[in-house]
Each structure stands twice: as structure tokens, then as C-alpha cells.
Amino acid sequence: VQLQASGGGLVQAGGSLRLSCEASGLTFGNYAMGWFRQAPGKEREFVAAINWSGANTYYSDSVRGRFRISRDNAKNTVSLRMSSLKPEDTAIYYCAADELWDTVRRGTGVHYWGQGTQVTVSS
């Protein structure tokens, strides 16, 4: 199984970025997907999750209203549209996959992790 994240980069505060994660080696439609992030010196934290069909989404309080997670099961991809970015959003962003919705939301015991993509927001 591979989760290939892309789309990170350097952006000014207030700007936008779109992250994508392409999955291979699994039956994508059977998996809930999530995004997590880890800033330097901090623990990894949950950002957003989406269930297998895309009908249910869930966000951390820190990104709700600014970020939007979506998926395309035909293309085996999950995306994270990030708007109104803040310097505190700076982190390595990871996509994750698990068959269980609650596991992805908790971020503990998740089956598969991607390699991460760096997002840097300058003030």
C-alpha cells in the first residue's frame, strides 16, 4: 500500500494550498481517509477525516471553516483544500487510511500512513 501526498509548499499567511493524496495497493472505497500534521517539536495532530463515501467529514477545531477535505473514489485520491492559512498551520502534512472511521478520527492505530508533504506559511 502506498499513500503519495503532494501539493505542499511555501505560502503567505492568508493564502491557500491544495494537498492531494493518491492511494494505491488498496480498495480505496473501503477506507476512511484522514489528514494529520506535525509541526517541529510537537506531536502529530489530527486535521480532517472523511468516510469511505465522502458523505461524512470531521475537522479539528483549529481548521474547521478554513480547510475542506474531499475524495474522488474513481481516482483513488483524497484532497485537502486549505484556505486562510496561518503561520501556525506550518507542519508536515500526512494522509492516512483505515477501514474504520473512528480510527482515522482518533489517529491511533491507523493502518496506513503516507510519507508527508511540507506546508510552510510565512507571516
Side-chain angles (χ1 to χ4, degrees):
V1 174
Q2 281 195 326
L3 302 176
Q4 185 70 40
S6 61
L10 174 64
V11 63
Q12 287 189 331
S16 299
L17 276 177
R18 183 183 180 91
L19 305 183
S20 293
C21 175
E22 183 174 1
S24 59
L26 52 72
T27 304
F28 187 71
N30 289 349
Y31 285 78
M33 301 296 295
W35 287 96
F36 295 77
R37 66 187 183 186
Q38 187 167 19
K42 295 187 177 181
E43 293 188 353
R44 185 173 58 202
E45 65 172 354
F46 168 80
V47 174
I50 188 166
N51 77 328
W52 67 273
S53 69
N56 294 316
T57 57
Y58 184 70
Y59 298 91
S60 68
D61 289 343
S62 62
V63 308
R64 187 174 293 115
R66 299 188 297 122
F67 290 11
R68 182 177 181 274
I69 189 171
S70 61
R71 67 187 294 159
D72 185 338
N73 285 353
K75 296 182 178 179
N76 286 9
T77 58
V78 59
S79 298
L80 185 69
R81 175 67 176 175
M82 305 184 294
S83 302
S84 302
L85 283 162
K86 306 174 181 179
E88 51 263 44
D89 294 319
T90 295
I92 299 174
Y93 284 70
Y94 300 89
C95 62
D98 198 273
E99 292 161 309
L100 300 179
W101 167 240
D102 283 342
T103 297
V104 172
R105 292 200 304 170
R106 287 195 307 266
T108 302
V110 170
H111 231 136
Y112 302 112
W113 292 94
Q115 88 289 358
T117 185
Q118 176 71 48
V119 172
T120 303
V121 184
S122 63
S123 57

